[in-house]
Amino acid sequence: MRNSTVQSGTTGQPGTSPAPRVGRMRRATAVLAGLALGAIPLLGTTPAAAADPFPVFVNERGADRPTLEQFGSTRSTVVYDVFAFTCTATSCTANGGALPTQAVFEAKVKEYMGANQFGGAATAPVVLDFEDIELTQVATGAAATHAYNLWRTLLTWTHNAAPSAPVCHYGYDWLTQNQALIKQLHDDDLLNCFAPRAYFYTAWTQAEWDQRLDEAVTHDRTIAPDHPIYPYVNPTTIENGAYVSGNTWAHMFEQVKAKADGVIVWEPTAADSTACNWVAQHSYEMGVITGTGSSGPLKATATPPSGNCTVRRGTTVSVPVAFANTSTTATAATALTPVSGATGITGTWASGTVPALAPGATYATTLSLTVAPTRTAGTALLHLKTGLSDTRMSVIVLN
């Protein structure tokens, strides 16, 4: 995960280097001494991160970001290596010269936490993405000693800049080089959490992804079993940015929920209809995690005029909706509720009532959905509600 400059209002893509340093997570920062509408699924003093049953953090910034917090995520912060730290057997440098001062470094951490960058919650993880000095990537011996001492300084300053946040470093946690030095940073509570990279490769099977995750989790538990592990995932494959399937996204969530303590979704995008499957699956997964999934005997399915999950800003579209009684008993007539739940999006029904339905019976109506031109979020979570049921509906909002 790499990026060389602070980008206000832009969203980056994962890197593409070959393993084991592939897709390196590095972007701008400072340092020094994250429905398919067409087939709506119903489907010590260490700071502590969010107390959710399974916290899902997200690194998002820039215009038209997906805004996954509307699904139940918490915005968190990644600090990218704008100083280009390197350490050799002789010393550590920043951009080939002197290291930044404490004031400069702390200001950069706060900038990344701020509203113009990631807008991370004060108690959400702050992840330092300094891959050239990540200790599994630094040669053993004197260079590692210099890098370790630099990390102690940078982590101390980070805690000073973000006193309520757990601090992790983004890493290649399946590797074991300089493991004792990494352990000491955790033993001293300078590092409070782990943030291993867990991206998906186009050629990988799910089992291959599982193996890499298992290796990282095993090493991390050995180093500091009481420190939470928040793997970094992204809904695109690391080499070419193609969106993973809904099944793959479901599998990744199943695995991190079983093996880790939370997850960080790194700079996700929902740029077009090819993102519909992961957005739909993410909505379902978050509904399960937050206990707010679709509920009740009436299941709604909908297909907008686009034929997929996309709608456009500044338009009003007629969306055919079918309600099906999925229970084994008849349902009484029930009122439809005007659609709301996302700023700048409203919906009204052609009919105000779903009539009584026998088991398995359906009722068709039309939803008039209006998307304001001022709607900026790249996705929207809506609810198709009756007096008996609530169906989650996810859309991607395009220009």
Side-chain angles (χ1 to χ4, degrees), residues 306 310-317 369-373 396-399:
S306 63
T310 62
V311 294
R312 295 196 174 273
R313 293 179 178 87
T315 63
T316 297
V317 294
L369 193 66
T370 298
V371 184
I396 294 174
V397 182
L398 304 176
N399 288 323

Side-chain angles (χ1 to χ4, degrees), residues 319-342:
V319 181
V321 180
F323 289 90
N325 180 2
T326 61
S327 71
T328 58
T329 59
T331 54
T334 181
L336 284 161
T337 302
V339 172
S340 61

Side-chain angles (χ1 to χ4, degrees), residues 29-33 79 83 85 94 98-111 113 126 128 130 133 149-167 185 189-192:
T29 265
V31 186
L32 181 327
V79 178
F83 290 116
F85 288 112
L99 297 171
T101 65
Q102 179 176 356
V104 169
F105 176 78
E106 291 186 10
K108 192 58 74 173
V109 171
K110 292 176 181 178
E111 178 184 349
M113 294 180 73
V126 172
L128 304 184
F130 306 149
I133 61 167
N149 289 329
L150 177 57
W151 273 108
R152 294 191 69 88
T153 299
L154 299 178
L155 291 167
T156 299
W157 291 355
T158 303
H159 282 291
N160 193 56
S164 299
V167 178
L185 295 174
D189 270 339
L190 290 170
L191 285 172
N192 317 122

Side-chain angles (χ1 to χ4, degrees), residues 1 25-31 34 57 59 76-81 105 109 112-113 118 124-131 151 155 158 162 165-171 191 193-197 199 230-232 263-264 266:
M1 177 161 79
M25 172 184 168
R26 171 192 190 167
R27 303 214 176 190
T29 265
V31 186
F57 301 104
N59 294 159
S76 63
T77 300
V78 56
V79 178
Y80 294 125
D81 187 7
F105 176 78
V109 171
Y112 273 109
M113 294 180 73
F118 291 104
V126 172
V127 178
L128 304 184
D129 179 16
F130 306 149
E131 295 176 50
W151 273 108
L155 291 167
T158 303
V167 178
C168 326
H169 80 308
Y170 173 84
L191 285 172
C193 47
F194 296 92
R197 65 189 303 280
Y199 302 127
Y230 302 130
Y232 259 89
V263 69
I264 303 174
W266 175 60

Side-chain angles (χ1 to χ4, degrees), residues 114 133 135 301 375 397:
I133 61 167
L135 285 164
T301 56
R375 168 76 184 183
V397 182

